Amino acid sequence: MKQFGHFDDARKEYVIQSPRTPYPWINYLGTQAFFSLISNTAGGYSFYKDARLRRITRYRYNNVPIDMGGRYFYISDNGTIWNPGWSPVKTELDAYECRHGMGYTVITGKKNGLKAEVTFFVPQNYDGEVQQVVLTNESSDTKTFKFFSFAEWCLWDAQDDCTNFQRNFSTGRVEVEGSTIYHKTEYRDRRDHYAFYTVNDSIDGYDTDRDSFIGLYNGFGDPQAVLDGKATNSFADGWSPIASHYKEITLAAGESKTLVFILGYVEMPADKKFEADGVTINKEKAYKMIEQYNTPEKVAAGLAELKAAWDKLLGIFNVNTSDDKVNRMVNIWNQYQCMVTFNLSRSASYFESGIGRGMGFRDSNQDILGFVHQIPDRARERLIDLASTQLEDGGCYHQYQPLTKKGNSDIGGDFSDDPLWMILSVGAYIKESGDWSILDQPVPYDNDESKAKPMLDHLTVSFYHIVNNLGPHGLPLAMRADWNDCLNLSCYSDKPGESFQTYTNPKFAAEGGYSKVAESVMVAALFTYAGPTYVGILKHLGKDDEAAKAQAEIDKMKENVMQSAFDGEWFLRAYDSTGAKVGSKECEEGKIFIEPQGFAVMSEIGKDQGADIKTLDSIDKYLNTKYGLVLNNPAFSKYYIQYGEISTYPGGYKENAGIFTHNNAWIICAEAYAGRGDKAFEYYSKIAPAFNEEISDLHKTEPYVYGQMIAGKDASRFGEGKNSWLTGTAAWNFVAISQYILGISADFDGLKVDPSIPKAWDGFTATRKFRGATYQITVKNPDHVSKGVKSLTVDGKAVEGNVVPVLPAGGTYEVVAVLG
Ligand code: BGC
Ligand code: NOJ
């Protein structure tokens, strides 16, 4: 077993020591509007707000070899051509290192006594990527070498860019002024934005046409201009516009030179688009942007500002346990991943092409659970965007595009779980911020302002959307799918090309498109888990009658589940459209599913009959493996048409018995809830990426972030991770470790401290900023139990129960919780 780098916790970096990682290991630059993906060999691309509609640089997914296209620097030194990040030339380097940090990446390569250190970052409040290159001659002789930059423009709409060649090969346009190359394709016509690539020094040439730079029969690894040692000063006219600077550099022994490149994006108002000649683009804003980062001092200041912003964000919740891996996940990487996932939902990663999916309704609502403490204001804005796409009956568009913020009608709606996540996310926002005013905020339905109603109304229709759509056992109808997009109990299909996500089976047309028999136990359990948050809100508002009415629905649902959906040792998954049980001991395959179990346990369904412990024990018995909990067992070995997409996957992958790290978290939470801290921690440490660092060659994806899935025991690649970065796993595992295992969670009326830890732990300490105050928390575990707060003191004074009341902002308070 092998690892490819190490954590540098003091600098909040992961240090990669070989460019040949088992898969590209990437980082994200930017958190506001301008975003870049960057791999450990500088592959990746940039976009503004929307990876589909406003793509700035081009990237080729599914390429051979993988990860082709990025921002590349080529050095031609006395016959040797190399890149600081090794690829795409792949000349063996004398030294290589990539440091992925919080919003920045530093790649360093050395060859024949020349060192090139490149720092990439997107500064705060800035629509561009800054790339600082420090070239140092570490040899004892003077060196003269040639230096080239390279970026390939995307023609803005990434989907169109990779399909509509008959048009796109004739639209590309550029301008060159000094050391700046402007990409202005379609700017004259219908666009109000352009991009630029610049360097803060004079240049000896440039290229703006890809074929002139690379050569028609060459590749990124052997561009003709670099082989020839000279730019061609090409001018793109159609085809594929690029931006490449060329400079000859001489460095005396020991001498260094710093170049600052900026890849920027500019929007101009319609009346200011051009110079007086009506043709030349107005570069006023670009000049200002260039001015902002045209010296190493300004770059250093920008980087310091970025680091300070991250230190502040990560200072909100900080723990010190006896386990370094827990500390680095909680304090650094898991929170960082929560920010990235919050920003991008499931749109752009090395597994998401940026054109497939916009912002997911269920996904983004769940992302808020892990992000809300970082910047509650941004969470609030997101909640309003999401709720604005909801329909008046509580149903939801499943996705929206970030640029338009409108529900995406191609994907449609009718996913049975969607509305419930909004109850949890709005609840989490109020608990964190204490901002009850969000409930009064008018929020449109279906993006129609004339249909605006207070946010509270959105929660009400969400709750009753479930209550109003029940099946024969009084359980929620499964509709298109629930959380599991691949359990399509109505939308199954036997023809290739019919997307499981959008296809509607004519068989159920008479029933309104979906079976009125297929029911989801997972949604039932999610309803009983999320419902109390809605009730809590109503009670706080003094709406006791409505609260009682809602509570009665929750109680009824629990009864219905116990009556029709407890299988003896665990909860059923669903009823299919023929009324047959799904996820039952009676089934031939897929006898037990993970999804309903955790929520059912945490809702205490059938607790008085021991259903919780029986269920948790069954999970351990049937779903637990060396690398985490599989989603279902046994895996499906044939196609069960009535279940839809799930059994299209070979056993052990994805929703067919893969280890879905997202819902592993629900079980971690449930084990912690039930007081079984050791089990909770066992499951946590199986999937938390830092714990898998030593098996990186098997695990394959980045050891600093979660992936959606680890191949399950039925797969030949058991233990291999996939789909890293953008997954609800980030938020839910942060919830699991911080709120359930470490037990520190925001509540409506204070900060709850109720850990459920491994018995061996002596305790831990934590710092939590909450509603403007700082809580220094010490948890002591003298009796070596898992759960149960025996005493709680604030500044030495005893507090009843386990909730520290909201204390005056600005202050710092010592909280001591003793378990026993
Ligand atoms: C995947 C799911 C995903 C869905 C929606 C399916 O093919 O297996 O994990 O949620 O597509 O894009
Ligand atoms: C990934 C999707 O983004 C998410 O919405 C879904 O719940 C899971 N896959 C499970 O199918």
Side-chain angles (χ1 to χ4, degrees), residues 346 357 362-363 398 483-486 655 660 662 708:
R346 307 298 172 267
R357 301 205 260 171
R362 80 155 77 90
D363 295 334
H398 197 50
W483 172 89
N484 189 330
D485 278 322
C486 299
E655 281 86 344
F660 246 77
H662 184 149
Q708 178 202 56

Side-chain angles (χ1 to χ4, degrees), residues 346 352 356-357 362-363 398-399 411 415 482-486 488 499-501 645-646 648-649 653-656 660 708 723:
R346 307 298 172 267
E352 297 283 4
R357 301 205 260 171
R362 80 155 77 90
D363 295 334
H398 197 50
Q399 289 173 23
I411 310 291
F415 289 81
D482 59 28
W483 172 89
N484 189 330
D485 278 322
C486 299
N488 315 109
S499 159
F500 291 104
Q501 307 302 313
E645 185 175 358
I646 190 164
T648 63
Y649 289 112
Y653 294 105
K654 293 278 284 178
E655 281 86 344
N656 185 10
F660 246 77
Q708 178 202 56
N723 303 2

Side-chain angles (χ1 to χ4, degrees), residues 472-549:
H473 301 92
L475 303 170
L477 290 174
M479 319 248 263
R480 174 162 296 287
D482 59 28
W483 172 89
N484 189 330
D485 278 322
C486 299
L487 193 61
N488 315 109
L489 299 175
S490 291
C491 308
Y492 50 82
S493 144
D494 60 0
K495 292 198 189 49
E498 286 170 346
S499 159
F500 291 104
Q501 307 302 313
T502 52
Y503 173 75
T504 304
N505 194 333
K507 195 168 165 195
F508 302 106
E511 292 166 74
Y514 308 103
S515 160
K516 291 262 186 274
V517 173
E519 297 170 299
S520 166
V521 181
M522 186 259 166
V523 177
L526 180 61
F527 176 79
T528 58
Y529 175 78
T533 297
Y534 175 60
V535 173
I537 288 173
L538 292 173
K539 282 193 182 150
H540 181 98
L541 298 175
K543 297 179 186 287
D544 291 341
D545 292 352
E546 281 181 55
K549 190 178 146 210

Side-chain angles (χ1 to χ4, degrees), residues 319 321 330 736-744 754-755 757 761 764:
V319 295
T321 73
V330 175
I737 184 70
S738 64
Q739 301 184 21
Y740 283 84
I741 294 181
L742 301 171
I744 300 172
D754 189 17
I757 54 178
W761 285 16
F764 64 90

